[in-house]
Amino acid sequence: MTVWKNLKPRAVGVLAGITLMAAMPAVQAAEYEWKMATGWGGGPLMEIGAKDFAENLKQASGGRFDIQVFPGGSLGGSLKVSETVEQGIAEMGHTWMGYDWGKDKTAVLFGGYAGGMSAERMLHWLYRAGGTELQREFRREQAGVISMPLFIRTSEVFLHSNKPVRSLEDLQGLKIRTAGAWISMSRALGASPVTMPGAEVYTALDRGTIDATEWGTLWENKSPGFHKITKYVIIPGVHQPSAPFELVINEDAWDSLSKEDQQLVERVARQTTLESWMTIGQEDAKAIEFFKEQGNEIIELSDEVQQAAKNQGLEWATNVAEDNDWFARVFKHQRQFEKQWRNAEDWRTVNADPNFDEFPVKE
């Protein structure tokens, strides 16, 4: 845990946080002593997600909000945080909405899936194109909780694997640990997916019960130690191009807040989400070298696999939309947004890599 604390950003002065902290009131006695249920035992999701949010909110409110963050399983099932909050066991929780896909598959569209958008596009859709408002409406109606984004990943590692995976042929029969909608999608591509609690994954890999696992981003995956028992790191995470996580709040607790305090919670959640994106991006850039130094081979999936996964995700979503009105509404909204951003790399990105041979970096 000390390692994560050393890495986490503590200067709450990034982007919107500058204005927020400048207007911070003097420290007061806690007015809201709330519990936060989470699905995490540690790592970035806990440290720069749940705990940073709690600390940022305490500071921004001058101490009026005092959120006690509980590790996964302490206040209910790690995969059932939204239920824990809806039942009032905790006033708020931090989770991934995709865990609730069995209740309503619309949750997958907000949590990210194989047919979904990159993290940058997802952030723009959420915060500037109406996605957050749709998320709030959907979760209040379908799950009885108040919902907003909190923490977002860049593209995950596709697999930490004991077998090399480059092509669709390599996927055939591969025993992979995964979760959510990718279970059915990966099966359609020929893999043999299973799901299991996070605490069991390392042992299953070590014993050969599974061939490979997906988990988080490059940086996040240093902590579980998969590099010690697998040889290959397969990128990019075609199953999860981005992964927005979720802050859920009990309806009664939310309604007890003034409008100003509700807006404060929203601003701090957005600030913490943007900070998590930037932190993960930078730490991922450093982590790729870590895995190489540990003797792992980095393998990039073929274009064939990347396109097949995207197509499989979109086919799955198109089929689900036929019988689910909420899913159809959100899916259409996202597709219209993506159409606006089609070929955005042409005008947002210069297609020229640094030439370190001709222009070396001076030591």
Side-chain angles (χ1 to χ4, degrees):
M1 296 295 290
T2 303
V3 174
W4 295 118
K5 288 181 179 178
N6 289 339
L7 287 171
K8 60 196 279 195
R10 285 303 176 201
V12 190
V14 181
L15 299 176
I18 296 174
T19 303
L20 187 63
M21 296 304 292
M24 223 171 46
V27 176
Q28 304 175 31
E31 184 176 347
Y32 303 105
E33 295 182 337
W34 285 4
K35 297 185 291 292
M36 174 188 277
T38 75
W40 337 119
L45 280 166
M46 177 64 86
E47 298 298 331
I48 68 170
K51 287 185 177 180
D52 264 9
F53 167 79
E55 183 175 320
N56 291 347
L57 184 59
K58 184 174 184 177
Q59 292 181 3
S61 67
R64 291 187 302 107
F65 282 88
D66 188 4
I67 311 299
Q68 185 177 3
V69 180
F70 289 83
S74 300
L75 297 178
S78 296
L79 304 184
K80 296 184 178 182
V81 170
S82 62
E83 291 182 15
T84 299
V85 171
E86 190 273 333
Q87 293 167 5
I89 299 171
E91 288 83 2
M92 57 173 46
H94 190 222
T95 186
W96 180 58
M97 201 192 302
Y99 291 145
D100 286 345
W101 82 295
K103 299 177 184 177
D104 191 320
K105 292 181 175 62
T106 308
V108 171
L109 297 178
F110 292 105
Y113 73 111
M117 297 178 274
S118 68
E120 184 191 12
R121 281 169 164 77
M122 182 65 83
L123 282 167
H124 280 83
W125 177 72
L126 286 169
Y127 290 127
R128 290 296 180 266
T132 296
E133 290 77 11
L134 271 176
Q135 177 173 326
R136 176 76 56 84
E137 183 182 352
F138 166 69
R139 286 296 256 178
R140 191 158 200 171
E141 178 181 310
Q142 297 296 317
V145 293
I146 304 302
S147 172
M148 63 192 74
L150 177 59
F151 189 100
I152 188 169
R153 282 176 174 156
T154 51
S155 177
E156 295 183 359
V157 173
F158 180 54
L159 292 173
H160 289 270
S161 178
N162 284 311
K163 297 181 179 180
V165 180
R166 294 180 176 85
S167 65
L168 285 173
E169 183 179 355
D170 294 333
L171 273 177
Q172 305 311 301
L174 192 74
K175 294 178 291 185
I176 61 173
R177 174 270 168 199
T178 189
W182 184 241
I183 294 173
S184 61
M185 295 182 204
S186 61
R187 185 178 292 117
L189 293 175
S192 297
V194 297
T195 190
M196 62 181 64
E200 298 177 12
V201 176
Y202 187 95
T203 302
L205 266 178
D206 194 29
R207 293 178 177 176
T209 306
I210 56 176
D211 298 315
T213 186
E214 54 91 359
W215 193 255
T217 72
L218 286 161
W219 175 49
E220 291 176 284
N221 290 359
K222 289 170 61 177
S223 180
F226 299 136
H227 58 278
K228 300 176 183 177
I229 53 173
T230 61
K231 182 178 179 181
Y232 304 99
V233 177
I234 319 298
I235 56 173
V238 293
H239 65 295
Q240 199 76 51
S242 70
F245 286 73
E246 178 189 32
L247 175 67
V248 287
I249 304 174
N250 178 271
E251 279 191 309
D252 291 338
W254 178 257
D255 291 339
S256 73
L257 300 179
S258 67
K259 185 172 183 178
E260 291 73 20
D261 278 342
Q262 289 178 353
Q263 292 174 342
L264 179 63
V265 171
E266 291 169 342
R267 288 199 301 272
V268 173
R270 182 171 62 246
Q271 167 204 336
T272 307
T273 299
L274 293 172
E275 288 180 351
S276 73
W277 178 55
M278 290 184 288
T279 299
I280 290 174
Q282 174 62 6
E283 295 301 332
D284 279 351
K286 294 188 288 187
I288 192 77
E289 294 304 319
F290 167 83
F291 288 108
K292 291 178 181 178
E293 291 169 359
Q294 298 301 310
N296 286 183
E297 181 180 345
I298 312 298
I299 295 178
E300 184 177 355
L301 289 169
S302 68
D303 291 344
E304 176 193 30
V305 176
Q306 296 190 43
Q307 189 63 57
K310 181 79 171 183
N311 292 346
Q312 184 62 41
L314 292 175
E315 179 181 348
W316 174 86
T318 300
N319 291 335
V320 173
E322 293 179 359
D323 301 313
N324 184 320
D325 291 340
W326 251 115
F327 192 103
R329 180 181 170 189
V330 177
F331 185 51
K332 180 180 179 181
H333 197 275
Q334 288 184 340
R335 296 294 300 195
Q336 289 175 334
F337 169 83
E338 285 192 275
K339 189 174 181 179
Q340 289 180 326
W341 278 64
R342 180 181 292 171
N343 301 322
E345 283 70 23
D346 292 346
W347 45 270
R348 290 178 64 84
T349 307
V350 176
N351 188 22
D353 293 328
N355 188 331
F356 291 111
D357 293 329
E358 186 173 350
F359 304 100
V361 178
K362 295 182 179 180
E363 298 297 335

